[in-house]
Each structure stands twice: as structure tokens, then as C-alpha cells.
Amino acid sequence: MEILKINQLKKSFGTNEVLKGIDLSVNKGEVVSIIGSSGSGKSTLLRSINRLEVPSSGEIYFKGDLVEERNLREVRQRCQMVFQHFNLYNNMNVLNNCTIAPIKLLKMNKKEAKDIAIENLKKVNMEAYIDARPSHLSGGQKQRVAIARALSMNPDIILFDEPTSALDPEMVGEVLDTMVELGKTGLTMIIVTHEMNFAKNVSDRVLFVNDGLIEEEGSPSEIFNNPKSARLREFLGIYGNI
């Protein structure tokens, strides 16, 4: 089942055309990783899906419906995002960070929201920290709470925007391990990442974005073991993969 479809998506900032015509479809349960150099358009593509960046032109369909102002709130609820810098509420404890959106946006009662949040915090091994404030957590712990918060909205898809880029190296593994386990549950995920081994081992499909276009896409084996474009071979060579 196709959950997301993008047709000729373009995005410019002033005279700088960052996305130059992206076509993409993602099926339910698929894990798609987006790789590419800094400035290639990866994060802009991800942020355009739920209109954190407003596209200059093109169409985005979510579960068959065109994404526009009339249904944007619902799309954002069903299409959650995990950011580089966590975006947790520092004045709330971990549990309240995970329950505020289900209560306010989904009109869930407090007990149900709490039960769901605790269940999701268990999935990311953060249930012991429900009373902690984000300021008392490590970067890796904050990111795992952010993942539990996204899960607590019962989304159809989660977008991950370089979720480990703000972490110290020793904390990267715990977040990636959490995402590996989520991938096994059938959750649909689109992940912008610089972690090549993670993309290689977890993804159903990998997209290489270069200069605002999807230059190459395929299975991890195709992308990492048999890259076709010279630019992708160069990119992977920098990371020591080929």
C-alpha cells in the first residue's frame, strides 16, 4: 500500500533552488534512508513532506490525499518527525513530553495517554526516566524520548532528520539500536542519515540525493555494492565504503 507519493517537488530559497523536481513513493512498512552530502537537499525534502518547509511547486499525497491547508493538521499528526536537536519541552518531565500532544491534539484522556506513553518509553528503554526533566538526560536519552513521543501519536509514518548528528559518538549507537528495533515492527520510516552502515543494514531502500535531485535509488546492496553514478561512488569513497 502506497502511503506517500511526491510528484515533481521543487523548493527554492530566494534564487537558490534546493529541490529541483523530486519524484518519490513510499509504501507502508518500508524503511527508506536518504543519503547525500551536506547541502544536497535531504533535510529540505524531509521537512517539505509535512510542510515544515512550504514547497515552491509540486504535489505531495499522503495516504492518497493531496496535502494542503485543509488537511495539514491531520497529516502532521499522522506523519510525525524526530528532529536533530530533540525539540523536547524543558519545563516538562519525560512523561508529560510524551502525553501533551495525544491529550491536546488527539483528545485522548489522561490515563490512556499515560499508559500509551509508558508503553512507548519501554520500547526505547526510557521508562525509568518518566519523572526526569530533559536537562537531566544525555543527548542519546533525549533522542529516545523524542522517538517515544512520536510513537505516542500512533503515526502512520515517522520522519527522522539526521537523528544522531547532534550526539556524541558514544551515544549514537543507543539511538540507532532503538531505530533498528522500530524497523522490525513494520513502522514506516524515512530517515535522513550520515550513518552509512545503519542505512546499509536497516533500509529497504536507499536514496542518494545530489544537487536537489534523487540521483540514484535502490536496495542497500545496489547502492553500496554497485553504485552507478560517479558522484555516488565519490560520496561513498569519502565514507570508506568502496
Side-chain angles (χ1 to χ4, degrees):
M1 173 187 170
E2 187 177 75
I3 196 168
L4 179 71
K5 186 174 180 60
I6 298 173
N7 293 330
Q8 281 298 296
L9 182 70
K10 296 182 180 181
K11 174 64 179 178
S12 295
F13 296 96
T15 59
N16 181 24
E17 191 178 27
V18 177
L19 300 179
K20 301 178 179 179
I22 299 288
D23 292 314
L24 173 64
S25 63
V26 177
N27 292 323
K28 183 176 175 61
E30 194 173 17
V31 178
V32 177
S33 289
I34 304 174
I35 63 173
S37 59
S38 296
S40 60
K42 307 183 305 296
S43 290
T44 301
L45 168 58
L46 200 73
R47 292 170 62 86
S48 295
I49 291 172
N50 59 3
R51 291 209 174 196
L52 292 178
E53 298 289 355
V54 179
S56 301
S57 63
E59 298 171 326
I60 299 172
Y61 293 88
F62 183 70
K63 298 179 73 175
D65 288 334
L66 179 66
V67 177
E68 47 193 354
E69 286 301 321
R70 65 174 176 82
N71 61 358
L72 184 55
R73 179 173 176 175
E74 180 184 357
V75 169
R76 285 176 173 165
Q77 291 174 7
R78 306 303 302 167
C79 183
Q80 288 288 296
M81 191 159 187
V82 174
F83 299 88
Q84 295 179 34
H85 297 287
F86 328 125
N87 288 23
L88 298 176
Y89 295 108
N90 290 317
N91 62 332
M92 296 181 181
N93 65 23
V94 163
L95 182 61
N96 288 341
N97 262 280
C98 294
T99 59
I100 183 171
I103 291 170
K104 289 198 168 188
L105 299 178
L106 302 183
K107 308 304 180 186
M108 199 177 289
N109 68 61
K110 290 183 178 180
K111 182 182 185 306
E112 183 182 7
K114 179 180 177 180
D115 289 345
I116 289 172
I118 290 173
E119 187 62 33
N120 286 317
L121 286 164
K122 287 179 180 178
K123 291 178 183 177
V124 300
N125 295 315
M126 286 298 294
E127 70 274 18
Y129 297 86
I130 61 172
D131 294 319
R133 295 292 179 96
S135 59
H136 297 151
L137 302 178
S138 70
Q141 290 171 329
K142 289 177 184 177
Q143 196 59 290
R144 284 186 283 150
V145 171
I147 293 171
R149 177 180 62 182
L151 289 170
S152 295
M153 288 293 287
N154 191 29
D156 293 300
I157 186 171
I158 298 184
L159 312 175
F160 293 85
D161 187 11
E162 299 190 29
T164 61
S165 66
L167 303 180
D168 292 332
E170 64 267 25
M171 298 175 184
V172 169
E174 64 188 59
V175 173
L176 294 181
D177 288 346
T178 297
M179 294 172 65
V180 168
E181 292 306 309
L182 288 179
K184 294 176 182 177
T185 69
L187 177 67
T188 309
M189 301 192 290
I190 304 177
I191 307 159
V192 169
T193 183
H194 286 293
E195 301 289 341
M196 295 299 109
N197 284 329
F198 171 80
K200 184 186 299 184
N201 294 325
V202 174
S203 310
D204 298 302
R205 186 157 45 110
V206 179
L207 313 179
F208 173 59
V209 174
N210 182 48
D211 194 25
L213 293 167
I214 297 175
E215 183 159 315
E216 198 164 332
E217 67 177 293
S219 69
S221 177
E222 290 169 331
I223 292 295
F224 291 105
N225 299 333
N226 188 31
K228 295 178 176 62
S229 76
R231 182 67 189 94
L232 177 54
R233 289 194 295 271
E234 178 187 14
F235 173 80
L236 292 176
I238 292 171
Y239 282 85
N241 286 282
I242 60 173

